[in-house]
């Protein structure tokens, strides 16, 4: 088990290193000359040269990359082009994106799992066909379309939720959840569709196993059989789906946060890209990559401890 954990930690660190290299290279090539944004048109040649020299724009790529890694791990993230501390800006926006992502995963589980059990509780194909049709429909709807439809129905027509804006948790749990519900629901549709499709295949495979057939032959009720006998072997699949949904959630947050005017990491990335703030974009993307890799790491270990087949295979090797 220790060897398994050590291998996963090494893989986790190597993933972060590779991601940081690609992120820094992409942002470094795309940001251009930040002095064109930071300095005014009236800045003199000497002032421009001093800024470029102090910012390290004349250093070779490897030196700039190593400096970036050092600053990231020492939390010396510098300032934005607007003069704000990057660490303060990110710490003020990261909780919202995390809340939005986890809330959307919770809603997707709340939607997909009951529908799964409902579709598998009878041995006819109609419920399964309806679930397949529903998951396919949710999968092809773009997030920005579902967001606009939810705003139209629940905000403009029914006036149940705000059109935009964010209420912090310290101002009350109900206003906080109310401000996050529609954005999280729009993100949860894609997660729900993927979970329903893949988990249904995993549950149907579990129901074909000999031990489930034996339990059914001994008189176990079908619904109880699905919950107790078929669902547990499918838990590693569910762990993987949740970790995948977390990574997709971070990507979709940029769209949802801009539609609902939420001050999260997604809108911060868009703002940093428009301002050519390479430092802010690099740090933000690397933090998101770190969180996504961490969630994959936790899901992988969770699957290992839950699934005895993985432990047995590891022990044999």
């Amino acid at each position: 088990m220790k060897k398994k954990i050590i291998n996963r930690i090494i893989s986790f660190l190597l993933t972060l290193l590779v991601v940081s290299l690609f992120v820094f290279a992409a942002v470094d090539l795309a940001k251009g000359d930040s002095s064109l944004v930071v300095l005014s048109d009236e800045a003199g040649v000497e002032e421009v040269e001093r800024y470029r020299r102090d910012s390290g724009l004349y250093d070779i790529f490897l030196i700039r990359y190593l400096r970036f890694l050092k600053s990231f791990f020492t939390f010396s993230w510098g300032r934005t082009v607007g003069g704000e501390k990057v660490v303060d800006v990110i710490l003020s926006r990261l909780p919202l994106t995390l809340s939005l992502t986890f809330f959307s995963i919770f809603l997707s589980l709340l939607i997909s799992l009951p529908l799964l059990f409902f579709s598998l509780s009878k041995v006819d194909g109609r419920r399964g066909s309806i679930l397949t049709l529903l998951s396919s429909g949710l999968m092809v709807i773009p997030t920005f379309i579902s967001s606009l439809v939810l705003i139209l129905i629940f905000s403009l027509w029914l006036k149940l939720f705000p059109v935009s804006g964010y209420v912090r948790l310290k101002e009350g749990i109900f206003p906080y959840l109310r401000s996050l519900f529609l954005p999280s629901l729009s993100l949860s549709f894609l997660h729900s569709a993927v979970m329903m499709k893949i988990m249904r295949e995993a549950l149907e495979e579990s129901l074909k196993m000999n031990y489930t057939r034996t339990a059914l032959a001994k008189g176990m009720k079908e619904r109880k059989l699905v919950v107790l006998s078929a669902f547990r072997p499918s838990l590693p699949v569910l762990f993987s789906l949740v970790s995948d949904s977390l990574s997709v959630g971070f990507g979709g947050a940029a769209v949802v946060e801009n539609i609902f005017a939420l001050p999260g990491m997604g809108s911060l990335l868009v703002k940093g890209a428009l301002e050519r703030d390479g430092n802010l974009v690099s740090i933000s993307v690397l933090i998101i990559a770190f969180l996504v890799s961490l969630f994959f790491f936790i899901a992988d270990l969770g699957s290992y401890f839950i699934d005895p087949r993985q432990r047995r295979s590891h022990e044999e090797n």
Side-chain angles (χ1 to χ4, degrees):
M1 185 177 68
K2 290 182 179 180
K3 184 178 179 181
K4 169 81 173 180
I5 295 176
I6 292 173
N7 290 337
R8 288 296 179 267
I9 292 176
I10 294 174
S11 176
F12 170 67
L13 295 176
L14 289 176
T15 300
L16 280 182
L17 186 63
V18 173
V19 169
S20 68
L21 178 60
F22 277 100
V23 167
F24 180 78
V27 173
D28 188 66
L29 291 173
K31 71 179 181 179
D33 190 350
S34 59
S35 65
L36 300 176
V37 178
V38 177
L39 302 179
S40 64
D41 295 335
E42 299 177 355
V45 176
E46 294 182 359
E47 187 177 357
V48 172
E49 290 295 322
R50 184 168 59 252
Y51 172 83
R52 291 173 177 172
R53 186 171 54 255
D54 294 341
S55 302
L57 296 179
Y58 289 138
D59 294 334
I60 62 174
F61 176 83
L62 180 60
I63 298 298
R64 296 199 305 274
Y65 172 65
L66 292 177
R67 187 187 299 121
F68 167 72
L69 283 183
K70 179 183 177 181
S71 65
F72 179 80
F73 287 110
T74 58
F75 296 95
S76 303
W77 296 347
R79 295 181 179 272
T80 65
V81 294
E84 301 175 281
K85 288 185 176 181
V86 174
V87 63
D88 294 338
V89 173
I90 289 179
L91 288 179
S92 66
R93 289 177 176 255
L94 185 58
L96 189 152
T97 302
L98 289 174
S99 301
L100 181 65
T101 304
F102 282 110
F103 195 20
S104 67
I105 300 300
F106 172 75
L107 290 177
S108 64
L109 291 172
L110 205 61
I111 294 171
S112 60
L113 293 183
L115 289 175
L116 274 171
F117 293 138
F118 175 77
S119 68
L120 291 171
S121 61
K122 293 291 181 183
V123 190
D124 55 44
R126 286 177 296 178
R127 293 185 179 182
S129 300
I130 293 174
L131 186 73
T132 302
L133 182 63
L134 178 61
S135 62
S136 300
L138 291 177
M139 200 173 296
V140 299
I141 298 176
T143 303
F144 73 93
I145 294 294
S146 62
S147 300
L148 295 176
V149 171
L150 290 175
I151 290 174
L152 181 64
I153 296 175
F154 292 100
S155 297
L156 299 181
W157 290 354
L158 301 178
K159 301 186 184 302
L160 295 176
F161 299 96
V163 176
S164 61
Y166 170 63
V167 179
R168 298 186 181 276
L169 182 58
K170 63 181 180 182
E171 299 178 26
I173 182 67
F174 181 73
Y176 166 76
L177 293 176
R178 188 167 176 263
S179 66
L180 285 178
F181 181 76
L182 287 186
S184 301
L185 185 61
S186 64
L187 274 179
S188 70
F189 288 153
L190 179 60
H191 306 326
S192 301
V194 175
M195 286 181 183
M196 285 188 288
K197 179 177 176 58
I198 298 180
M199 281 298 293
R200 179 176 173 80
E201 295 175 357
L203 287 171
E204 286 180 340
E205 190 67 27
S206 297
L207 288 172
K208 294 177 182 177
M209 302 300 290
N210 291 331
Y211 65 90
T212 55
R213 292 179 178 179
T214 303
L216 189 62
K218 289 183 178 180
M220 180 180 286
K221 292 184 179 180
E222 199 170 16
R223 187 170 299 176
K224 186 177 181 181
L225 178 69
V226 171
V227 175
L228 296 181
S229 299
F231 185 66
R232 185 176 178 182
S234 305
L235 278 179
V237 178
L238 182 61
F239 264 83
S240 299
L241 287 174
V242 169
S243 62
D244 291 342
S245 299
L246 286 170
S247 61
V248 174
F250 277 112
V255 176
V256 172
E257 287 173 7
N258 280 279
I259 291 176
F260 288 91
L262 300 175
M265 292 294 293
S267 56
L268 180 65
L269 277 172
V270 174
K271 179 176 178 290
L274 292 175
E275 295 179 350
R276 293 186 185 179
D277 194 339
N279 183 46
L280 176 63
V281 173
S282 301
I283 296 295
S284 301
V285 172
L286 194 54
I287 287 176
I288 292 175
F290 170 79
L291 291 174
V292 171
S293 301
L294 180 63
F295 294 144
F296 274 115
F297 173 72
I298 294 173
D300 191 22
L301 286 183
S303 300
Y304 175 76
F305 287 115
I306 290 175
D307 192 354
R309 292 169 296 183
Q310 291 190 30
R311 295 197 301 271
R312 191 181 305 116
S313 175
H314 180 73
E315 291 173 357
E316 290 176 356
N317 294 332

